[in-house]
Coordinates of all heavy atoms in Angstrom, one line a residue:
T1 N 0.7 -1.3 0.0 CA 0.0 0.0 0.0 C 0.9 1.3 0.0 O 0.5 2.3 -0.7 CB -1.0 0.1 1.3 OG1 -1.7 -1.2 1.2 CG2 -1.8 1.2 1.2
L2 N 1.9 1.3 0.6 CA 2.7 2.4 1.0 C 4.0 2.6 0.5 O 4.6 3.7 0.3 CB 2.9 2.7 2.6 CG 1.5 2.6 3.3 CD1 1.8 2.5 4.8 CD2 0.9 4.0 3.2
E3 N 4.5 1.5 -0.2 CA 5.9 1.5 -0.8 C 5.8 0.9 -2.1 O 6.6 0.0 -2.5 CB 6.9 0.8 0.1 CG 7.0 1.4 1.6 CD 7.9 0.6 2.5 OE1 8.4 -0.3 2.0 OE2 8.0 1.0 3.6
K4 N 5.0 1.5 -3.0 CA 4.9 1.0 -4.4 C 6.1 1.3 -5.2 O 6.4 0.5 -6.1 CB 3.7 1.7 -5.1 CG 2.3 1.2 -4.3 CD 1.1 2.0 -5.0 CE -0.1 1.6 -4.2 NZ -1.2 2.3 -5.0
D5 N 6.8 2.3 -4.8 CA 8.0 2.7 -5.7 C 9.3 2.0 -5.1 O 10.1 2.6 -4.5 CB 8.3 4.3 -5.6 CG 8.3 4.8 -4.2 OD1 7.7 4.2 -3.3 OD2 8.8 5.8 -4.1
V6 N 9.3 0.7 -5.4 CA 10.3 -0.1 -5.0 C 11.6 0.3 -5.7 O 11.5 1.0 -6.6 CB 10.2 -1.7 -5.2 CG1 9.0 -2.0 -4.1 CG2 9.8 -1.9 -6.6
E7 N 12.8 -0.3 -5.2 CA 14.1 0.3 -5.9 C 14.0 -0.1 -7.3 O 13.9 -1.2 -7.7 CB 15.3 -0.3 -5.2 CG 15.3 0.0 -3.7 CD 16.4 -0.7 -3.0 OE1 17.0 -1.6 -3.6 OE2 16.6 -0.5 -1.8
P8 N 14.2 0.9 -8.2 CA 14.2 0.6 -9.7 C 15.5 0.0 -10.1 O 15.6 -0.6 -11.2 CB 14.1 2.1 -10.2 CG 14.7 3.0 -9.2 CD 14.4 2.4 -7.8
L9 N 16.7 0.2 -9.4 CA 17.9 -0.3 -9.8 C 18.7 -1.0 -8.7 O 18.3 -0.6 -7.5 CB 19.0 0.7 -10.4 CG 18.4 1.6 -11.6 CD1 19.4 2.6 -11.9 CD2 18.4 0.6 -12.8
P10 N 19.4 -2.0 -8.9 CA 20.2 -2.7 -7.8 C 21.1 -1.6 -7.1 O 21.8 -0.9 -7.9 CB 21.0 -3.8 -8.4 CG 21.1 -3.4 -9.8 CD 19.8 -2.6 -10.1
V11 N 21.3 -1.6 -5.9 CA 22.1 -0.7 -5.2 C 23.5 -1.1 -5.5 O 23.9 -2.2 -5.3 CB 21.7 -0.6 -3.7 CG1 22.7 0.4 -2.9 CG2 20.3 -0.2 -3.5
P12 N 24.4 0.0 -5.6 CA 25.9 -0.4 -5.8 C 26.4 -1.0 -4.7 O 26.3 -0.6 -3.5 CB 26.5 1.0 -6.1 CG 25.5 2.0 -5.5 CD 24.2 1.3 -5.7
R13 N 27.1 -2.2 -4.9 CA 27.5 -3.0 -3.8 C 28.8 -2.5 -3.2 O 29.1 -2.7 -2.1 CB 27.8 -4.4 -4.3 CG 26.5 -5.2 -4.7 CD 26.9 -6.6 -5.1 NE 27.3 -7.4 -4.0 CZ 26.5 -8.0 -3.2 NH1 25.1 -7.8 -3.3 NH2 26.9 -8.6 -2.2
E14 N 29.6 -1.8 -3.9 CA 30.8 -1.2 -3.6 C 30.9 0.3 -3.8 O 30.2 0.7 -4.7 CB 32.1 -1.8 -4.2 CG 32.1 -3.4 -4.2 CD 32.5 -3.8 -2.7 OE1 33.0 -3.0 -2.0 OE2 32.2 -5.0 -2.4
R15 N 31.6 1.0 -3.0 CA 31.8 2.4 -3.1 C 32.4 2.7 -4.5 O 33.4 2.1 -4.8 CB 32.4 3.1 -1.9 CG 32.5 4.6 -2.1 CD 33.3 5.1 -0.9 NE 32.7 4.6 0.4 CZ 31.5 5.1 0.9 NH1 30.8 6.1 0.2 NH2 31.1 4.6 2.0
T16 N 31.7 3.6 -5.3 CA 32.2 3.9 -6.6 C 33.1 5.0 -6.5 O 32.7 6.2 -6.1 CB 31.1 4.3 -7.6 OG1 30.1 3.2 -7.6 CG2 31.6 4.5 -9.0
P17 N 34.4 4.7 -6.9 CA 35.3 5.9 -6.9 C 34.9 7.1 -7.7 O 34.5 6.8 -8.8 CB 36.8 5.4 -7.3 CG 36.6 4.0 -7.1 CD 35.2 3.6 -7.3
A18 N 34.8 8.2 -7.2 CA 34.3 9.3 -8.0 C 34.9 10.6 -7.7 O 35.1 10.8 -6.5 CB 32.7 9.4 -8.0
S19 N 35.0 11.5 -8.5 CA 35.5 12.9 -8.3 C 34.4 13.7 -7.8 O 33.3 13.8 -8.5 CB 36.3 13.4 -9.4 OG 36.6 14.8 -9.1
Q20 N 34.4 14.4 -6.7 CA 33.4 15.3 -6.3 C 34.0 16.6 -5.9 O 34.3 16.9 -4.7 CB 32.6 14.7 -5.0 CG 31.8 13.5 -5.3 CD 31.0 13.0 -4.0 OE1 31.5 12.1 -3.4 NE2 30.0 13.7 -3.6
P21 N 34.1 17.5 -7.0 CA 34.8 18.8 -6.7 C 34.0 19.6 -5.6 O 32.8 19.5 -5.4 CB 34.6 19.4 -8.2 CG 34.4 18.3 -9.1 CD 33.6 17.3 -8.3
I22 N 34.8 20.3 -5.0 CA 34.3 21.3 -3.9 C 33.6 22.4 -4.7 O 34.0 23.0 -5.6 CB 35.5 21.8 -3.1 CG1 36.2 20.7 -2.3 CG2 34.9 22.9 -2.2 CD1 37.4 21.2 -1.5
I23 N 32.4 22.7 -4.1 CA 31.6 23.9 -4.6 C 32.0 25.1 -3.6 O 31.5 25.2 -2.6 CB 30.1 23.7 -4.5 CG1 29.7 22.4 -5.3 CG2 29.3 24.8 -5.1 CD1 28.4 22.0 -5.1
W24 N 33.0 25.8 -4.1 CA 33.6 26.9 -3.3 C 32.5 28.0 -2.9 O 32.6 28.6 -1.8 CB 34.8 27.5 -4.0 CG 36.0 26.5 -3.9 CD1 36.6 25.9 -4.9 CD2 36.8 26.3 -2.7 NE1 37.5 25.1 -4.6 CE2 37.8 25.3 -3.2 CE3 36.7 26.6 -1.4 CZ2 38.6 24.8 -2.3 CZ3 37.6 26.1 -0.6 CH2 38.6 25.1 -1.1
R25 N 31.6 28.2 -3.8 CA 30.6 29.3 -3.5 C 29.8 28.7 -2.2 O 29.5 29.6 -1.4 CB 29.6 29.4 -4.6 CG 28.4 30.2 -4.4 CD 27.5 30.3 -5.6 NE 26.9 28.9 -5.8 CZ 26.1 28.7 -6.8 NH1 25.8 29.6 -7.8 NH2 25.7 27.4 -7.0
N26 N 29.5 27.4 -2.1 CA 28.8 26.9 -1.0 C 29.7 27.0 0.3 O 29.2 27.3 1.5 CB 28.2 25.6 -1.2 CG 27.2 25.4 -2.2 OD1 26.8 26.4 -2.8 ND2 26.5 24.2 -2.4
V27 N 30.9 26.6 0.1 CA 31.8 26.5 1.2 C 32.0 28.0 1.8 O 31.8 28.2 3.1 CB 33.2 26.1 0.8 CG1 34.3 26.2 2.0 CG2 33.1 24.6 0.4
I28 N 32.3 29.1 1.0 CA 32.3 30.3 1.4 C 31.0 30.8 2.1 O 31.1 31.5 3.2 CB 32.8 31.3 0.3 CG1 34.2 30.8 -0.1 CG2 32.7 32.8 0.7 CD1 34.5 31.6 -1.5
G29 N 29.9 30.6 1.4 CA 28.6 30.9 1.9 C 28.4 30.4 3.4 O 27.8 31.2 4.2
I30 N 28.6 29.2 3.5 CA 28.4 28.5 4.8 C 29.3 29.1 5.9 O 28.8 29.3 7.0 CB 28.5 27.0 4.7 CG1 27.5 26.3 3.9 CG2 28.7 26.3 6.1 CD1 27.7 24.9 3.5
I31 N 30.6 29.3 5.5 CA 31.5 30.0 6.5 C 31.0 31.3 6.8 O 31.0 31.7 8.1 CB 32.9 30.0 5.9 CG1 33.5 28.6 5.7 CG2 33.9 30.8 6.8 CD1 34.8 28.6 5.0
V32 N 30.7 32.1 5.9 CA 30.2 33.5 6.1 C 29.0 33.6 7.0 O 28.8 34.3 8.0 CB 30.0 34.4 4.9 CG1 29.3 35.6 5.1 CG2 31.3 34.5 4.1
L33 N 28.0 32.6 6.7 CA 26.8 32.6 7.5 C 27.0 32.2 9.0 O 26.5 32.9 9.8 CB 25.8 31.6 6.8 CG 24.6 31.3 7.4 CD1 23.6 32.6 7.3 CD2 23.9 30.1 6.8
H34 N 27.9 31.3 9.1 CA 28.2 30.9 10.5 C 29.0 32.0 11.3 O 28.8 32.2 12.5 CB 29.0 29.6 10.6 CG 28.1 28.4 10.4 ND1 27.6 28.0 9.2 CD2 27.7 27.4 11.2 CE1 27.0 26.9 9.3 NE2 27.0 26.5 10.5
F35 N 29.9 32.7 10.6 CA 30.6 33.8 11.1 C 29.7 34.9 11.6 O 29.8 35.5 12.8 CB 31.5 34.4 10.2 CG 32.3 35.6 10.6 CD1 33.3 35.6 11.6 CD2 31.8 36.8 10.2 CE1 34.0 36.8 12.1 CE2 32.5 38.0 10.7 CZ 33.6 38.0 11.6
L36 N 28.7 35.3 10.7 CA 27.8 36.3 11.1 C 26.9 35.9 12.2 O 26.6 36.7 13.2 CB 26.9 36.6 9.8 CG 27.6 37.3 8.7 CD1 26.6 37.4 7.5 CD2 28.1 38.7 9.0
A37 N 26.5 34.5 12.3 CA 25.6 34.2 13.4 C 26.5 34.3 14.7 O 25.9 34.7 15.8 CB 25.2 32.8 13.1
V38 N 27.6 33.8 14.8 CA 28.4 33.7 16.0 C 28.8 35.2 16.4 O 28.7 35.6 17.6 CB 29.7 32.9 15.8 CG1 30.7 33.1 17.0 CG2 29.4 31.4 15.5
Y39 N 29.3 36.0 15.5 CA 29.7 37.3 15.7 C 28.5 38.1 16.2 O 28.7 38.9 17.2 CB 30.2 38.0 14.4 CG 30.5 39.5 14.6 CD1 31.6 39.9 15.3 CD2 29.7 40.4 14.1 CE1 31.8 41.3 15.5 CE2 29.8 41.8 14.2 CZ 30.9 42.3 14.9 OH 31.2 43.5 15.2
G40 N 27.3 38.0 15.6 CA 26.1 38.7 16.1 C 25.6 38.2 17.5 O 25.3 39.2 18.2
F41 N 25.9 37.0 17.8 CA 25.5 36.5 19.1 C 26.5 37.1 20.3 O 26.1 37.6 21.3 CB 25.6 35.0 19.3 CG 25.2 34.6 20.5 CD1 23.9 34.4 21.1 CD2 26.3 34.0 21.4 CE1 23.6 34.0 22.3 CE2 25.9 33.5 22.7 CZ 24.5 33.5 23.2

């Protein structure tokens, strides 16, 4: 009834080596956001 959308593909059995480049915009945004919160407090 509740889980009709069963897994469409077999789950990878081993960790697939992959390059995941850093998103520097997100990194900088997260750092600035936390700095402003801590500084403001």
Side-chain angles (χ1 to χ4, degrees):
T1 305
L2 299 164
E3 299 176 0
K4 296 178 182 178
D5 52 339
V6 294
E7 294 174 0
L9 293 173
V11 177
R13 298 182 64 83
E14 303 292 337
R15 186 177 305 282
T16 305
S19 173
Q20 292 182 257
I22 295 174
I23 306 175
W24 287 107
R25 179 184 61 183
N26 289 7
V27 173
I28 295 171
I30 290 171
I31 292 173
V32 170
L33 181 64
H34 282 74
F35 172 79
L36 291 174
V38 173
Y39 174 75
F41 179 80

